[in-house]
């Protein structure tokens, strides 16, 4: 909605049925540095920059792996 933030609902809509809204919300909360319930656009872009031109399934798959990849 061009407000500079990405909500769990907006991200879920973009990723489609590959992930549930609950999964998106859980992951979003891990990256939401100010606990506002939304990601800043710049933070979102830095997380997904490597997958900009990939299909929706690849983006959803990478989203699921982010917490595990960040921990290692």
């Amino acid at each position: 909605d061009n407000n500079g933030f990405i909500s769990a609902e907006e991200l879920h809509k973009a990723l489609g049925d590959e992930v549930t809204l609950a999964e998106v919300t859980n992951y979003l909360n891990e990256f939401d540095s100010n606990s506002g319930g939304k990601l800043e656009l710049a933070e979102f872009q830095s997380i997904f920059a490597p997958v900009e031109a990939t299909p929706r399934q690849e983006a959803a798959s990478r989203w699921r792996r982010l917490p595990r990849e960040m921990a290692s």
Side-chain angles (χ1 to χ4, degrees):
D1 64 10
N2 294 319
N3 67 359
F5 298 95
I6 299 173
S7 68
E9 292 81 10
E10 290 169 329
L11 185 55
H12 179 253
K13 184 178 178 181
L15 293 173
D17 295 331
E18 297 301 315
V19 292
T20 66
L21 179 57
E23 288 175 308
V24 172
T25 300
N26 287 336
Y27 292 134
L28 183 138
N29 289 337
E30 289 186 36
F31 295 100
D32 181 17
S33 60
N34 65 0
S35 300
K38 299 177 181 180
L39 290 178
E40 293 181 17
L41 182 58
E43 184 176 12
F44 174 81
Q45 288 172 330
S46 71
I47 292 169
F48 281 94
V51 295
E52 271 182 310
T54 62
R56 184 179 280 181
Q57 282 186 317
E58 179 62 22
S61 175
R62 288 181 184 223
W63 178 259
R64 284 190 182 124
R65 291 193 311 260
L66 276 174
R68 290 188 295 270
E69 291 174 358
M70 300 287 274
S72 54

